[in-house]
Amino acid sequence: MWIKKKPSWDTIPPSEITPYDVYLNRRQFMAAAGAGVAAAALGPSAVAAAVRRRAQEAQVGEVAFGEELRGELNDYDLITTYNNYYEFGTRKQDPAQNAGDFRPEPWSVEVSGEVHRPGRYSVEELVRPDEVEDRIYRLRCVEAWSMVVPWRGGAFRNLLTRVEPTSNAKFVAFETVYRPEEMPGQRRRVLEWPYVEGLRIDEAANELTFLATGLYGRDLPNQNGAPLRLVVPWKYGFKSIKSIVKITFTEEMPPTSWNLSAPHEYGFYANVNPEVDHPRWSQARETRLPGIRKSPTTMFNGYGEQVEHMYRGMDLTRWY
Ligand SMILES: Nc1nc2c(c(=O)[nH]1)N[C@H]1C(S)=C(S)[C@@H](COP(=O)(O)O)O[C@H]1N2
Ligand SMILES: [Mo]
């Protein structure tokens, strides 16, 4: 992916660019070597962790949204090793372990249905290099844990202005790639494959709806949905569909994977709502990883100001 502008921290000459992990190790080494008394007091692992955190934060330049969450950012390691991506297995560590053979390039997305400019689009046509920005969002999984992630990508509404939905388009349907050869989880029918999701057209056009191509300023790892995934921060995480190959504009509400799988447990809207419990557990509180203590969940995951107007007059207890 291209980046919008060279961030201020990026002053290393190209000849010195090293792979990210090597870079981090070198930074840790230099910091540990120079930290003297503080290092002796804290111990090497605490120093390494602190330096690593700082180096990771340095990968997130100026953010277009969510600056107030910077201090709560989860580590790159956690975000890329604790995943839900059932195409690669159902345990949290499975996607990081099993996604190594997945090929996110070459890639194209088929845009069809109620749209004036249907066709096959490249990732760079959907998220144009000059529109790329970093945003820090909370991610609240329906399983009652949450993280804070620095995404890189583009607003979905930019894409809408280019493909031009027709006036009949009331919903947008999304589909994940189907490649059982590369995705071992798809060889078992845990869900109906391919994974599908959808949004109402006004939700898709909301300023927060984001197409991520990266995180922490780097391309998306396969386990996080490379090369292109949706991020809808006021809804439960399962709406944020990964590795998208189809975007279809429809007049009818499209089917969604978790609703197909367990209709009495997962609705289409799936807005984060602490007052509507999952049939098998409470949604009033959540665990902010990597901690274990629970803290209160907030309506629309804290994004009410941006999204609440879209649901006026709707019975949110029914549509959780
Ligand atoms: N195709 C696909 N997309 C998916 C999932 C999945 O299993 N398959 N899991 C969802 C769930 S439940 C969550 S919480 C988020 C997790 O995103 P992350 O692993 O990048 O944190 O991805 C969502 N997108
Ligand atoms: Mo989730």
Side-chain angles (χ1 to χ4, degrees):
M1 273 307 298
W2 297 11
I3 53 171
K4 192 175 181 177
K5 49 179 162 312
K6 198 170 174 171
S8 57
W9 50 265
D10 190 6
T11 51
I12 310 167
S15 61
E16 270 201 47
I17 288 177
T18 51
Y20 183 73
D21 292 328
V22 176
Y23 165 73
L24 274 189
N25 287 337
R26 195 182 57 186
R27 291 282 300 266
Q28 281 165 25
F29 173 77
M30 294 190 311
V37 180
L42 280 171
S45 65
V47 170
V51 171
R52 185 156 158 138
R53 204 170 316 115
R54 235 181 298 128
Q56 287 172 353
E57 280 167 20
Q59 301 293 307
V60 187
E62 198 182 308
V63 296
F65 191 95
E67 178 58 37
E68 74 286 356
L69 293 170
R70 189 182 288 267
E72 296 178 45
L73 278 173
N74 281 104
D75 283 1
Y76 185 83
D77 283 352
L78 180 78
I79 296 170
T80 59
T81 57
Y82 187 96
N83 299 101
N84 274 336
Y85 199 169
Y86 277 20
E87 285 85 338
F88 293 110
T90 55
R91 292 170 308 175
K92 296 291 181 279
Q93 70 271 29
D94 286 342
Q97 279 170 13
N98 298 337
D101 291 335
F102 182 72
R103 293 282 141 255
E105 279 167 12
W107 197 268
S108 66
V109 178
E110 189 192 314
V111 175
S112 63
E114 290 291 345
V115 64
H116 290 297
R117 300 181 188 280
R120 281 204 162 273
Y121 289 82
S122 68
V123 174
E124 286 74 17
E125 285 168 326
L126 297 179
V127 178
R128 284 193 1 200
D130 59 302
E131 308 174 334
V132 168
E133 58 184 53
D134 289 336
R135 296 189 187 189
I136 305 177
Y137 281 161
R138 293 179 213 90
L139 172 76
R140 169 58 158 87
C141 177
V142 75
E143 297 162 341
W145 53 263
S146 62
M147 298 197 254
V148 175
V149 184
W151 301 108
R152 175 166 285 186
F156 193 78
R157 52 160 60 166
N158 294 338
L159 173 160
L160 285 178
T161 63
R162 291 197 286 277
V163 303
E164 295 177 33
T166 71
S167 56
N168 293 329
K170 304 284 187 297
F171 294 91
V172 193
F174 299 88
E175 197 173 303
T176 294
V177 71
Y178 179 67
R179 285 190 199 163
E181 342 60 72
E182 294 179 22
M183 300 174 123
Q186 284 181 337
R187 295 173 215 152
R188 295 188 301 133
R189 276 202 58 178
V190 190
L191 290 170
E192 272 178 50
W193 310 115
Y195 194 102
V196 289
E197 257 306 334
L199 295 173
R200 213 170 57 193
I201 194 80
D202 60 323
E203 296 179 318
N206 186 275
E207 59 183 311
L208 294 183
T209 305
F210 202 61
L211 273 176
T213 53
L215 64 84
Y216 266 111
R218 317 169 70 200
D219 284 352
L220 273 184
N222 291 343
Q223 59 268 34
N224 293 90
L228 184 74
R229 59 90 59 87
L230 193 66
V231 185
V232 197
W234 72 95
K235 293 177 179 284
Y236 291 118
F238 65 82
K239 299 293 292 182
S240 293
I241 182 174
K242 295 175 169 180
S243 306
I244 297 165
V245 288
K246 273 190 197 167
I247 300 176
T248 313
F249 293 85
T250 64
E251 210 163 347
E252 306 295 326
M253 183 183 282
T256 58
S257 281
W258 280 101
N259 179 255
L260 288 172
S261 163
H264 46 285
E265 298 193 357
Y266 307 102
F268 176 84
Y269 286 94
N271 293 317
V272 173
N273 188 340
E275 281 159 29
V276 179
D277 288 341
H278 186 280
R280 291 182 281 131
W281 58 85
S282 166
Q283 294 293 23
R285 299 166 75 74
E286 68 196 58
T287 304
R288 172 64 59 79
L289 300 178
I292 47 168
R293 278 194 21 244
K294 292 223 167 190
S295 51
T297 287
T298 51
M299 188 65 200
F300 297 120
N301 202 22
Y303 298 103
E305 191 186 325
Q306 290 83 11
V307 305
E308 172 260 343
H309 66 273
M310 297 190 291
Y311 307 105
R312 290 202 188 124
M314 267 177 78
D315 180 358
L316 295 173
T317 61
R318 185 169 158 238
W319 285 111
Y320 49 88

